[in-house]
Amino acid sequence: MTNIRRALEAAAGVSTGEATPQATDFDGQTTYLERTTQFSNVSDSKTFTFSVWIWPSPMWATATDGGLYGTIYRDGTSSTASRSFIRYQPSLTESGKMGFFLRQTSSTDALQLYIQTPTSTWTNVLVSVDLANSSNRHVYLNDVDVSTNTDIVTWDTYNNADIDFTVPYSRVGLLHSSQQWFQGRLSNLFLDMTYRDLSSSVNRRHFINADGFPADPSSLSPPIYFPMTNYSTVGTNSGTGGNMTEYGTFAQSARGPNQVNCMASDLAAADSVLDANWDSAGSSVVTGSFICSANARTGETQFIHQPSGGYWDCKID
């Protein structure tokens, strides 16, 4: 089956006959992973590579604590003050963003990084950094270089200092206590202490293949690599650092990054318009469904506009 056919069938909501989705749901209420001893084979370092496939839920506000922040990965101590974390921050007015807050031993940030990341779709977020050299830093989203795109990536704090990876406490899906639960889908979470030049496609192919699907980076022998392709083994580390304990009842995702997923269209230009002639038959009952991300602007943004025969529209004021 061709990728084009899969995409058309996925958009039409029919069976594609493709593989089982390979990802795990985090419900934002009870599910998280935890490790209360240091991962093996980690070291404090100015360099790292991080990769994850992420599908943030559009229903983030139903998380236990309201979903304003969703923790993807955190490590440090059991204290709420001394920690590094990578989290997803949704937004009512734009695509959400991932925030990286990676700390030195002194509990001050060595790196702060923000990456605009859409909700309700799969995105591979791939980052490699050398804090000793600001020329050696990369961010790729779905195999596209956005490292210097200031609309998407904000390089904030960038200190020539070791990140404290040798810590006794780590979590995925929850920051601490009952705060900052992640709600959505995750797979292929990877972290090691190596800088890679991601401008080389050879290095990116460890994480995303040429067709845009997840690759298996276990050959790199990282300390942390959780495939999460099956919910029943979500806490199993295919790297060398040891497993995590599972809490809550996980579920298999309805769709995974190993499948073709419906895309969104960018209606950015003044003449970006879809036109059609159709008859609503004068009904007073209408059901509609869509997901949108509207850029900041003044005035109205109209999604559907019917200028004649009983003028009506669907818009954001």
Side-chain angles (χ1 to χ4, degrees):
M1 183 183 293
T2 67
N3 283 346
I4 293 175
R5 181 181 170 190
R6 286 196 183 102
L8 290 172
E9 291 185 351
V14 300
S15 173
T16 62
E18 60 189 347
T20 300
Q22 295 182 352
T24 296
D25 282 359
F26 285 71
D27 65 11
Q29 300 176 356
T30 65
T31 52
Y32 66 98
L33 305 178
E34 183 179 73
R35 183 177 174 89
T36 56
T37 58
Q38 179 180 307
F39 281 110
S40 301
N41 302 316
V42 294
S43 60
D44 296 345
S45 178
K46 298 177 183 179
T47 60
F48 72 90
T49 296
F50 174 85
S51 178
V52 70
W53 288 80
I54 181 173
W55 190 101
S57 172
M59 301 298 292
W60 52 268
T62 63
T64 293
D65 58 345
L68 290 180
Y69 301 104
T71 302
I72 300 165
Y73 177 80
R74 85 83 130 182
D75 66 18
T77 68
S78 57
S79 162
T80 61
S82 179
R83 61 178 182 269
S84 292
F85 54 95
I86 301 169
R87 71 187 183 193
Y88 185 78
Q89 180 176 340
S91 172
L92 292 174
T93 58
E94 59 183 90
S95 292
K97 61 185 175 184
M98 285 180 63
F100 290 67
F101 306 85
L102 303 183
R103 293 193 165 180
Q104 308 173 41
T105 304
S106 60
S107 294
T108 58
D109 289 332
L111 173 69
Q112 289 185 11
L113 166 66
Y114 303 92
I115 305 169
Q116 295 292 330
T117 311
T119 189
S120 307
T121 190
W122 280 107
T123 303
N124 175 232
V125 180
L126 177 57
V127 179
S128 198
V129 165
D130 178 0
L131 289 174
N133 185 347
S134 61
S135 296
N136 292 342
R137 59 189 192 187
H138 308 274
V139 176
Y140 277 73
L141 299 182
N142 290 341
D143 212 29
V144 176
D145 185 8
V146 295
S147 308
T148 59
N149 186 330
T150 56
D151 291 329
I152 297 175
V153 174
T154 301
W155 297 98
D156 199 339
T157 302
Y158 202 90
N159 291 327
N160 183 7
D162 282 346
I163 299 168
D164 184 14
F165 290 115
T166 54
V167 292
Y169 196 86
S170 302
R171 276 182 170 173
V172 173
L174 175 64
L175 187 66
H176 59 82
S177 184
S178 293
Q179 296 185 25
Q180 301 191 22
W181 298 79
F182 175 75
Q183 188 173 55
R185 304 166 180 169
L186 293 176
S187 80
N188 300 85
L189 189 151
F190 174 102
L191 176 65
D192 75 358
M193 288 79 240
T194 301
Y195 165 75
R196 295 176 176 85
D197 180 3
L198 298 181
S199 65
S200 167
S201 62
V202 173
N203 288 330
R204 300 198 305 276
R205 292 298 163 259
H206 292 294
F207 308 98
I208 181 171
N209 67 29
D211 292 322
F213 296 114
D216 180 1
S218 57
S219 63
L220 299 174
S221 298
I224 299 170
Y225 172 51
F226 291 87
M228 301 183 181
T229 52
N230 189 303
Y231 77 95
S232 64
T233 57
V234 62
T236 300
N237 188 355
S238 292
T240 63
N243 296 336
M244 301 183 81
T245 302
E246 303 165 13
Y247 291 91
T249 303
F250 289 94
Q252 196 74 20
S253 298
R255 292 201 67 79
N258 61 311
Q259 300 172 301
V260 173
N261 287 270
C262 295
M263 303 301 180
S265 296
D266 188 359
L267 304 180
D271 59 351
S272 297
V273 176
L274 301 177
D275 227 344
N277 294 317
W278 53 282
D279 185 1
S280 61
S283 174
S284 61
V285 179
V286 176
T287 300
S289 176
F290 53 85
I291 296 172
C292 69
S293 176
N295 293 331
R297 56 167 292 173
T298 58
E300 298 176 346
T301 297
Q302 294 181 329
F303 297 109
I304 304 173
H305 176 64
Q306 211 279 351
S308 62
Y311 174 94
W312 62 274
D313 57 18
C314 175
K315 65 186 179 181
I316 293 178
D317 288 325

